[in-house]
Amino acid sequence: MIRTFRIFRFDPEKDQEPSYREYQVECPKGSTVLDALNEIKWRQDGTLSYRRSCRHGICGSCAMTINGKNNLACESQVETLKGVIWVEPLRSFPIIKDLIVDMEPFYERLKAVKPYFIAGTPPTDKERLQSPEQRKLLDGSYECILCGCCTSSCPSYWADKDFLGPAALLKAYRFVFDSRDEGTQERLVILDNKHGLWRCHTIFNCAEACPKGLNPTWAIGKLKQKVIREKF
Amino acid sequence: MEFHRHDVVIVGAGLAGLFAGLYTSREFDTAVVSKVYPIRSHSGAAQGGCAASLGNMMEDRWEWHMYDTVRGSDYLGDQDAQEIVCREAPLVIYECEHLGVPFSRTPEGKISQRPFGGHFSDFGKGPQKRACHAADRTGHVQLHTLYETCVKQDVRFYSEFFTLQLIFAENGACRGIVAWDLRRGGMHVFHAKAVLLATGGYARAWKVTSNSHANTGDGLSLVLRSGLPLEDMEFVQFHPTGLYPSGILVTEGARGEGGYLLNDKAERFMERYAPQKMELAPRDVVSRSIQTEIDEGRGIGGKNFVHLDVRHLGEAKIMEALPQIHELALKFTGVDCLKEPIPILPTAHYSMGGIPTNTQTQVLKNSAGDIVEGLFAAGECACVSTHGANRLGTNSTLECCVFGRRAGISMLKYLREDPCLPDLPQDAADQSIERVEGLLESKGSESAAQIREILQSTMTEKMGIFRREETMKECLAKIKELQERYKKIGLQDRGRVFNTELMEAIELGSMLDFVEPIVVGAIARKESRGAHFRKDYPKRDDQNWLKHTLAWKEGDSIRLDFKPVVITRFQPEERKY
Ligand SMILES: Cc1cc2nc3c(=O)[nH]c(=O)nc-3n(C[C@H](O)[C@H](O)[C@H](O)COP(=O)(O)OP(=O)(O)OC[C@H]3O[C@@H](n4cnc5c(N)ncnc54)[C@H](O)[C@@H]3O)c2cc1C
Ligand code: SF4
Ligand code: SF4
């Protein structure tokens, strides 16, 4: 079936202002939005720019806004989208070119929460033990592919660019609730401020946006409880 | 143009590159250059697991793992390298755990392990649980953990930089690279004492592939263009179940849980090919069976796919044991596998060959084993050779960890000797500048996308699971033709900022380079071994072909040489499962 795509275009070397361009694309059953973008780039307009890599929802490169909703282009079946299909970059991230946004600020926020394993106690020559129940606490956080859909759809992030954002907070959760990690105190100090945990107003946008079905809002709630418990 | 100085430059931020960076950054200034953000590297796609004889579920020994690996490789693997991989496997898995990898756990709290094809206990006898895993996201957790640890250690990342060229000093030592900054547009010269290539797989040269768009074999092209050889390029693994038409991977688990393969006549055709093991026969056998059905016109509706049917398992079982498969089929083909069978076909998956190295990961320049000073390679782009003619599942992420780590240690040792760093030749980047500017200004009439499409379908049709002299020669002629057409391509995008059309054109150039040794090597190898199956020579021929292929690009053609296989513990025997 032939579908119409209305795509956000901006070339910093040429354009003062962004604009939209329409393309007609033949989309056989099973086509994803990424397939359609490839079709445009390879047959109609080589200047269209976007990131893509694994094309099966695990690398997170092709996060964008599709019909107003943040998603991975590779995971969006064209068939499920109605009318003209609007394709725009992730919201509130600086735009580099067309659908490509600057992810650096996003990574910088991530780095702020010490997104790495901290354990001073030297390990034995085998694995540290961790029970399946302890390990289960990490389910729903370690799967994050850092695509940025959540942070881009978070109204608190739109309002406060210093807010750590749901992805970074989810990463913090992944370490705070890891029974083997010993960095909890350092991290809680970083999280416990007005640009940290307390900027989240529990709007659930992030959970709705996450293409991997994760729930940063819930994780942020757990971290808030933890901070309160440790403080008082 | 900008200049940078680091002790070590690592090209590639997958498991292999990051493991190396972890080691070198402990003592030396380390830069990692990657054309995608590190966590977008294809290693993150690995699902099944990472092999190691921890023996957490049942008795296991590295010797058993080695025997399986040797046999799996159809005796073309170098046993010194295979011994290292299997011996060091527990060590790297424990190291991953110590870095924080969230492995799944046994009730006692140890790392959980599960069975995988080709892995057995007691020298090929019983079943074995050897694959360490984190649910079915093993590569994802390993990649993220290594990246996080590198961040902790202040490794300098140059993300979205495309490496175009290796720099050599007058004495032939490798002393840096030239890379194009994709984001800002601009040439960068990286001056270094040691360079590691860890650029990953290259199955993007096929139309139907499980690989990411980024897997275009740039590292191989860098090596070929530097006048150095590639090893065993003819060995390419096809996984039996890729989603039709894209080739996105459906894991072995779907058949493990009881999924059937059906042809157009609704026959469970595996009865004809492997009546004992049926759908659970080894990968190469199942792939060949599916392809035979398709070739003989029994694909669904005469098309080039068959069905993988899991409906009979029932909704409860599918949603509990195969939720990913359900999601994959739905999201990527629009098929709900509760109601419809999944269309599948074999998919180009993994490449056993690559840049020849010794077990210290030093790059080799000839069959005598002479090394290129300052140049190292590890991971899927390298060939040490752990996998010989055929890789076992879960042995690749393992190889990336073991040899990525070894590369780090090797480079540390080399740097401690403080190799001299001569001034860069003035013209170090000229060749790259000429190439990029040439492409940006090109007004040719050929389209890179079109050439790529022809290349990919030619490789899928003529360099697939079954090979024949005649069709391979047609393939070679086509490649030659495409190489000529490539010289006349023109781009629509002439900008410098994030010019992905330019990037794709350069990637196509890489693919056109490394496919040639694949075909030339395969035509020369007149036998069938592992993943290399020739209808005109269906038998393995140890007498003449128990040897590795080395291929150089010389002028307009490929020159071949051969070197013996290292055999230490296990003598070649017939491979029966
Ligand atoms: C779908 C799928 C599932 C798999 N599952 C398993 C499994 O369960 N178990 C297993 O053991 N193996 C599995 N494999 C194989 C395994 O994942 C790969 O072989 C392995 O991850 C390769 O890692 P690597 O470090 O060599 O390269 P990659 O992870 O591919 O990284 C390559 C790096 O090189 C960089 N690069 C490439 N070219 C350039 C350039 N020109 N300039 C700059 N940077 C460049 C890229 O940006 C990237 O960072 C699977 C493979 C696939 C495709
Ligand atoms: S729940 Fe919190 S983090 Fe998520 S979108 Fe709302 S404010 Fe942002
Ligand atoms: S939580 Fe979900 S949406 Fe947010 S970065 Fe991770 S995977 Fe993407």
Side-chain angles (χ1 to χ4, degrees):
Chain A
M1 201 170 55
I2 293 187
R3 297 293 301 268
T4 305
F5 287 76
R6 197 166 293 153
I7 301 181
F8 178 97
R9 300 300 309 268
F10 176 68
D11 180 349
E13 290 170 281
K14 285 196 190 130
D15 305 329
Q16 301 289 328
E17 290 291 321
S19 61
Y20 286 83
R21 247 190 96 170
E22 262 188 32
Y23 300 89
Q24 310 292 322
V25 188
E26 172 68 40
C27 296
K29 181 180 155 58
S31 295
T32 63
V33 170
L34 181 61
D35 293 331
L37 293 177
N38 289 338
E39 188 68 20
I40 295 169
K41 183 168 186 69
W42 296 340
R43 283 182 221 279
Q44 303 185 23
D45 183 352
T47 66
L48 178 65
S49 308
Y50 48 93
R51 289 193 182 98
R52 82 284 179 280
S53 190
C54 80
R55 61 84 166 88
H56 64 278
I58 188 72
C59 83
S61 302
C62 64
M64 50 188 77
T65 311
I66 299 162
N67 274 358
K69 204 177 164 305
N70 292 355
N71 209 337
L72 301 175
C74 72
E75 285 198 351
S76 304
Q77 281 284 317
V78 171
E79 249 184 335
T80 63
L81 300 165
K82 292 202 179 66
V84 172
I85 300 166
W86 290 76
V87 186
E88 300 165 278
L90 283 181
R91 277 173 288 222
S92 81
F93 286 38
I95 288 157
I96 297 178
K97 181 180 181 180
D98 294 345
L99 302 169
I100 299 178
V101 296
D102 187 359
M103 297 294 288
E104 287 305 332
F106 175 80
Y107 287 124
E108 284 312 313
R109 262 158 211 77
L110 188 73
K111 283 179 192 156
V113 304
K114 304 201 174 200
Y116 38 76
F117 193 67
I118 301 175
T121 319
T124 63
D125 59 358
K126 293 228 162 151
E127 69 267 62
R128 293 185 187 82
L129 297 182
Q130 181 175 51
S131 71
E133 294 73 38
Q134 289 171 325
R135 168 61 180 73
K136 211 169 162 32
L137 292 177
L138 308 185
D139 284 351
S141 65
Y142 81 89
E143 302 93 327
C144 172
I145 59 173
L146 295 175
C147 66
C149 283
C150 54
T151 301
S152 149
S153 69
C154 168
S156 298
Y157 182 71
W158 302 342
D160 173 10
K161 286 282 162 342
D162 292 326
F163 175 36
L164 289 171
L169 293 172
L170 186 67
K171 191 57 121 183
Y173 173 99
R174 179 249 170 277
F175 288 107
V176 166
F177 287 88
D178 190 328
S179 57
R180 305 164 299 165
D181 185 272
E182 295 164 10
T184 301
Q185 290 316 317
E186 310 169 39
R187 282 200 196 87
L188 290 186
V189 172
I190 298 166
L191 303 180
D192 179 19
N193 69 68
K194 73 174 170 43
H195 302 296
L197 286 175
W198 310 107
R199 179 65 71 199
C200 166
H201 302 304
T202 324
I203 317 168
F204 283 102
N205 269 22
C206 53
E208 205 186 300
C210 178
K212 298 285 101 182
L214 309 179
N215 189 343
T217 319
W218 178 87
I220 293 168
K222 287 284 167 200
L223 285 168
K224 285 177 175 169
Q225 284 172 11
K226 179 117 183 146
V227 168
I228 291 170
R229 235 180 274 131
E230 308 265 316
K231 259 177 137 173
F232 302 103
Chain B
M1 189 146 64
E2 285 186 46
F3 289 87
H4 310 265
R5 268 269 307 114
H6 296 280
D7 294 320
V8 184
V9 168
I10 294 171
V11 185
L15 291 181
L18 294 178
F19 227 120
L22 205 67
Y23 271 74
T24 56
S25 64
R26 288 177 185 162
E27 281 176 51
F28 294 95
D29 170 20
T30 300
V32 174
V33 175
S34 168
K35 67 177 178 178
V36 298
Y37 276 120
I39 46 162
R40 313 283 185 234
S41 301
H42 199 59
S43 289
Q47 306 173 346
C50 190
S53 56
L54 305 184
N56 279 357
M57 324 289 283
M58 54 201 287
E59 189 192 350
D60 200 2
R61 298 195 202 146
W62 70 261
E63 291 93 337
W64 299 349
H65 185 186
M66 177 173 171
Y67 178 72
D68 295 339
T69 303
V70 170
R71 217 159 53 118
S73 76
D74 220 347
Y75 295 90
L76 193 74
D78 285 332
Q79 295 186 13
D80 53 349
Q82 293 175 319
E83 176 161 342
I84 287 171
V85 165
C86 299
R87 262 179 191 263
E88 293 186 2
L91 185 109
V92 297
I93 288 292
Y94 290 138
E95 192 164 337
C96 284
E97 200 282 331
H98 296 162
L99 296 172
V101 170
F103 286 111
S104 295
R105 298 286 168 157
T106 68
E108 311 84 70
K110 295 184 191 166
I111 295 169
S112 166
Q113 297 186 277
R114 64 176 167 206
F116 232 83
H119 291 276
F120 304 101
S121 67
D122 199 9
F123 301 107
K125 297 208 182 70
Q128 181 58 266
K129 295 183 176 177
R130 189 176 285 146
C132 309
H133 64 101
D136 46 10
R137 302 185 182 85
T138 314
H140 168 83
V141 296
Q142 287 180 307
L143 179 68
H144 278 242
T145 304
L146 288 173
Y147 172 67
E148 288 157 358
T149 315
C150 284
V151 167
K152 187 175 175 183
Q153 276 177 215
D154 277 330
V155 171
R156 176 73 196 270
F157 284 99
Y158 293 86
S159 297
E160 308 198 307
F161 275 69
F162 196 108
T163 306
L164 291 162
Q165 189 194 330
L166 299 173
I167 301 175
F168 295 91
E170 259 171 33
N171 67 354
C174 185
R175 289 295 181 246
I177 62 156
V178 182
W180 171 255
D181 178 352
L182 288 165
R183 175 173 169 183
R184 282 151 287 249
M187 208 58 87
H188 291 243
V189 175
F190 294 81
H191 199 183
K193 293 177 180 172
V195 173
L196 171 69
L197 293 173
T199 52
Y202 43 96
R204 262 289 143 186
W206 281 261
K207 181 175 168 202
V208 181
T209 172
S210 66
N211 280 205
S212 80
H213 284 288
N215 284 3
T216 54
D218 307 331
L220 307 187
S221 167
L222 293 179
V223 164
L224 270 184
R225 287 179 185 217
S226 305
L228 297 168
L230 297 177
E231 181 173 345
D232 286 345
M233 292 296 288
E234 58 270 31
F235 296 100
V236 178
Q237 181 170 68
F238 291 82
H239 193 289
T241 56
L243 285 179
Y244 171 84
S246 62
I248 290 171
L249 200 69
V250 175
T251 118
E252 253 170 52
R255 282 170 289 136
E257 294 292 341
Y260 300 153
L261 291 170
L262 299 172
N263 64 14
D264 194 43
K265 297 181 178 156
E267 294 166 329
R268 261 183 93 180
F269 56 83
M270 285 309 297
E271 272 163 5
R272 277 202 287 282
Y273 306 93
Q276 301 294 322
K277 295 253 161 83
M278 294 295 285
E279 279 84 359
L280 292 176
R283 274 184 191 177
D284 53 342
V285 176
V286 182
S287 289
R288 284 197 285 272
S289 310
I290 296 174
Q291 197 59 47
T292 305
E293 290 296 305
I294 292 172
D295 290 349
E296 293 177 359
R298 289 186 298 277
I300 309 297
K303 291 212 191 121
N304 57 337
F305 65 88
V306 296
H307 275 148
L308 170 63
D309 199 348
V310 295
R311 287 175 298 181
H312 56 281
L313 301 176
E315 177 165 355
K317 177 82 178 276
I318 292 172
M319 296 317 279
E320 178 222 310
L322 301 168
Q324 288 254 16
I325 300 307
H326 182 254
E327 189 186 325
L328 275 173
L330 198 61
K331 282 188 171 163
F332 301 106
T333 59
V335 166
D336 179 353
C337 71
L338 297 176
K339 301 191 190 112
E340 296 166 85
I342 309 170
I344 57 105
L345 78 176
T347 183
H349 183 57
Y350 183 86
S351 307
M352 274 70 74
I355 305 162
T357 73
N358 60 21
T359 54
Q360 307 304 314
T361 74
Q362 292 163 303
V363 171
L364 304 176
K365 58 181 168 196
N366 53 34
S367 53
D370 294 324
I371 63 154
V372 183
E373 204 193 315
L375 186 60
F376 302 77
E380 192 172 336
C381 71
C383 178
V384 270
S385 113
T386 306
H387 312 297
N390 176 56
R391 166 176 80 90
L392 293 187
T394 72
N395 259 359
S396 168
T397 47
L398 173 64
E399 184 202 7
C400 290
C401 292
V402 168
F403 282 102
R405 181 177 172 277
R406 285 189 147 244
I409 295 171
S410 260
M411 288 191 288
L412 275 178
K413 193 163 154 249
Y414 180 63
L415 289 164
R416 285 182 196 133
E417 290 162 7
D418 199 21
C420 80
L421 189 58
D423 287 344
L424 277 179
Q426 281 302 315
D427 57 356
D430 282 8
Q431 192 195 323
S432 297
I433 295 172
E434 204 178 307
R435 183 147 157 233
V436 168
E437 297 300 332
L439 279 167
L440 285 175
E441 281 157 25
S442 62
K443 301 226 163 44
S445 54
E446 295 281 0
S447 127
Q450 215 171 25
I451 296 176
R452 185 181 53 233
E453 223 172 272
I454 299 171
L455 173 67
Q456 290 168 329
S457 20
T458 308
M459 292 299 281
T460 287
E461 278 158 31
K462 302 193 192 296
M463 282 305 290
I465 293 171
F466 293 118
R467 298 166 173 187
R468 259 190 220 95
E469 175 129 356
E470 198 190 330
T471 38
M472 289 194 287
K473 285 194 164 150
E474 288 165 14
C475 186
L476 189 59
K478 195 60 162 182
I479 290 170
K480 290 283 180 200
E481 179 199 319
L482 296 176
Q483 285 170 341
E484 284 308 308
R485 285 175 64 178
Y486 181 74
K487 293 177 184 157
K488 289 177 273 186
I489 61 170
L491 302 187
Q492 294 173 25
D493 192 345
R494 302 189 182 282
R496 279 158 200 277
V497 175
F498 236 120
N499 188 335
T500 51
E501 198 188 16
L502 170 71
M503 178 184 83
E504 290 184 353
I506 299 171
E507 290 176 334
L508 172 63
S510 303
M511 293 198 277
L512 286 169
D513 283 340
F514 74 75
V515 290
E516 208 181 330
I518 295 179
V519 184
V520 173
I523 292 174
R525 187 174 283 276
K526 294 187 168 42
E527 65 158 353
S528 290
R529 183 188 297 268
H532 172 68
F533 192 93
R534 288 192 59 165
K535 284 214 155 161
D536 42 1
Y537 298 93
K539 289 248 156 22
R540 191 174 94 192
D541 174 4
D542 284 346
Q543 193 81 37
N544 296 302
W545 289 102
L546 186 57
K547 58 188 179 190
H548 297 292
T549 312
L550 290 177
W552 285 259
K553 185 156 180 73
E554 280 184 356
D556 272 344
S557 59
I558 298 293
R559 176 171 70 85
L560 297 182
D561 190 7
F562 300 93
K563 67 172 184 178
V565 173
V566 179
I567 293 171
T568 57
R569 287 169 183 260
F570 303 107
Q571 288 305 312
E573 51 184 61
E574 204 190 333
R575 205 164 141 246
K576 275 201 212 123
Y577 284 98

